[in-house]
Amino acid sequence: MTMRSEVSVSVQSTSFSGFANPVDPTPAELRAWAYHPDTVPLNSMPPDWDLLVSGDHLVTTLFELAMDRSCPARRFALHCLYIYAADGIRTKFRAHPKRRLRKLVQQAESLGDDLMRTWAHNSRVLLAKPDLFDYRDWCEGGLVRSGRRLS
């Protein structure tokens, strides 16, 4: 009798040739860059690139990258999720759909590791107490660097 085990393998592009338009990358371009971020360093990107890519068009890709512990640009993707959550909450969900943020938060809570569960927790806290918003924490990477859970 032969036992068969299934193995999940993530196959990523072996190289990244650059963005057609760095101000508006495609999900495939962002994903390819995230696994080879040294090919186009962040400091060579347009100003506030993190703010530019933190929208509805790329949030699913950013979430997948942030969930992947082996992604070299994982912390950048997580940083963008903090921007996305804060932008939605601060604009009373005029910028992003509340339903989409809630779904991402629920997925992070149930499937994510400690980093992702912390993001989900902090997003829920900000949703309940929007006046806790601090630009440095949410938009300049403070919460990503510190790993702090809001209360």
Side-chain angles (χ1 to χ4, degrees):
M1 183 169 170
T2 307
M3 298 288 289
R4 203 184 274 182
S5 65
E6 292 188 29
V7 177
S8 175
V9 177
S10 175
V11 178
Q12 301 303 326
S13 170
T14 58
S15 65
F16 174 63
S17 57
F19 296 102
N21 179 0
V23 174
D24 187 22
T26 67
E29 287 174 332
L30 184 63
R31 189 175 295 103
W33 169 81
Y35 288 95
H36 304 282
D38 293 338
T39 58
V40 182
L42 277 174
N43 63 5
S44 71
M45 299 307 262
D48 298 323
W49 190 63
D50 53 348
L51 301 175
L52 293 172
V53 300
S54 298
D56 289 319
H57 175 62
L58 294 171
V59 73
T60 301
T61 303
L62 291 165
F63 184 81
E64 291 167 1
L65 296 170
M67 290 286 283
D68 184 353
R69 295 177 191 177
S70 68
C71 178
R74 181 184 191 205
R75 289 174 64 84
F76 175 79
L78 180 60
H79 164 62
C80 291
L81 290 179
Y82 272 100
I83 293 170
Y84 182 85
D87 195 31
I89 294 165
R90 289 181 59 241
T91 63
K92 296 181 173 57
F93 296 98
R94 287 186 301 272
H96 310 297
K98 187 175 192 175
R99 194 175 95 224
R100 179 173 289 154
L101 178 62
R102 284 189 187 268
K103 181 179 176 186
L104 294 173
V105 165
Q106 289 169 350
Q107 287 178 332
E109 288 169 336
S110 63
L111 303 172
D113 64 0
D114 195 48
L115 284 176
M116 292 303 291
R117 286 190 306 271
T118 297
W119 169 77
H121 167 84
N122 288 343
S123 296
R124 286 193 184 277
V125 170
L126 188 64
L127 187 56
K129 303 174 190 175
D131 43 322
L132 288 181
F133 173 77
D134 178 84
Y135 189 85
R136 284 179 301 229
D137 280 345
W138 288 85
C139 299
E140 292 181 348
L143 289 170
V144 174
R145 284 189 299 278
S146 71
R148 181 169 50 96
R149 290 175 69 92
L150 299 175
S151 53

